[in-house]
């Protein structure tokens, strides 16, 4: 979502970018990134993805033994038991020759954030409040929902299509963030905002109607939800 969220004018555009959030098994930092290796390790004609995450300062494959062996059967004889597999790093499992030619990608943060325009062609990522990090964010809409002249944010998301050992990413019920026009955002409680979005939201759009704008939230395999702005002391975005 692009916009001027800090009131600097002059055509300088910031971005609000959705991400996986900070409430999953995938934890990444600048010094301990989540790494993915992509290659046809099994020489089967299709590529496999090996994801590694840090724990205790050491990067280990995320896949459990059975999952890895099913994808790469030649490893079964090397790791006959879970105990033999426990604690193995990517370089323990794969030699330098195995990793040669693999596509290697790193993720250094999973925070949904404001990409602040520095005005010199660079951007600084500023994570949004913790309430915005509970689940993956897919839908983002910016508007002045409370009528105070600054842009606020509606966020929605969740994702259930993951393997059991990773766990569902469905802790969000939608969120209104009140902006102050300086790039800072404050979460508004659901009982105050009226913006309640269960399920797997995928997008938020503003639709013009004769009765004023409506805000439509589409959800995966579920009916859409429709909200309208109701600027009062207590309610900011209420469902009709």
């Amino acid at each position: 979502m692009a916009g001027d969220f800090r009131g600097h004018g002059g055509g300088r555009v910031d971005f609000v970018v959705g991400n996986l959030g900070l409430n999953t098994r995938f934890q990444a930092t600048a010094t301990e990134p989540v790494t993915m290796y992509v290659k046809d390790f099994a020489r089967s004609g299709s590529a496999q993805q090996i994801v590694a995450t840090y724990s205790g300062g050491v990067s280990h494959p995320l896949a459990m033994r059975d999952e890895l062996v099913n994808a790469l059967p030649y490893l079964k004889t090397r790791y006959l038991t879970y105990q033999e597999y426990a604690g193995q790093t990517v370089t323990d499992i794969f030699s330098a020759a195995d990793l040669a030619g693999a596509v290697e990608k790193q993720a250094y943060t999973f925070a949904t954030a404001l990409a602040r325009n520095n005005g010199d062609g660079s951007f600084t990522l500023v994570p949004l409040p913790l309430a915005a990090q509970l689940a993956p964010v897919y839908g983002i809409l910016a508007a002045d929902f409370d009528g105070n002249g600054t842009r606020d944010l509606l966020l929605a998301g969740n994702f259930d299509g993951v393997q059991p050992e990773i766990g569902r990413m469905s802790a969000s019920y939608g969120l209104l963030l009140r902006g102050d026009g300086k790039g800072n955002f404050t979460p508004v409680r659901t009982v105050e905002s009226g913006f309640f979005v269960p399920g797997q939201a995928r997008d938020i759009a503003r639709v013009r109607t004769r009765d004023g704008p409506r805000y439509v939230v589409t959800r995966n395999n579920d009916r859409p939800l429709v909200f309208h702005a109701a600027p009062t002391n207590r309610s900011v975005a209420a469902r009709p």
Side-chain angles (χ1 to χ4, degrees), residues 17-80:
V17 290
N19 208 331
L20 196 65
L22 304 176
N23 190 33
T24 76
R25 288 187 63 189
F26 298 99
Q27 301 296 312
T29 67
T31 56
E32 295 187 346
V34 170
T35 303
M36 180 173 66
Y37 305 87
V38 181
K39 184 181 177 180
D40 183 5
F41 292 99
R43 297 181 176 86
S44 61
S46 60
Q48 296 83 43
Q49 300 175 356
I50 307 298
V51 177
T53 61
Y54 274 83
S55 176
V58 180
S59 181
H60 300 280
L62 184 68
M64 301 182 72
R65 174 197 172 275
D66 288 352
E67 180 187 353
L68 189 66
V69 166
N70 285 337
L72 306 175
Y74 70 89
L75 291 175
K76 185 175 182 178
T77 55
R78 189 189 308 175
Y79 300 111
L80 295 174

Side-chain angles (χ1 to χ4, degrees), residues 90-168:
V90 170
T91 53
D92 290 333
I93 299 170
F94 301 103
S95 67
D98 292 330
L99 294 174
V103 175
E104 182 177 343
K105 298 293 184 180
Q106 286 84 28
Y108 299 97
T109 180
F110 290 111
T112 291
L114 172 68
R116 188 178 63 200
N117 192 328
N118 297 324
D120 58 3
S122 68
F123 291 81
T124 300
L125 281 180
V126 181
L128 293 180
L130 187 60
Q133 311 297 344
L134 299 180
V137 170
Y138 291 96
I140 304 173
L141 184 68
D144 181 12
F145 297 106
D146 54 8
N148 69 349
T150 61
R151 304 187 83 188
D152 310 304
L153 295 173
L154 289 179
L155 307 179
N158 292 330
F159 182 66
D160 293 342
V162 294
Q163 295 170 325
E165 61 266 25
I166 295 176
R168 293 171 58 194

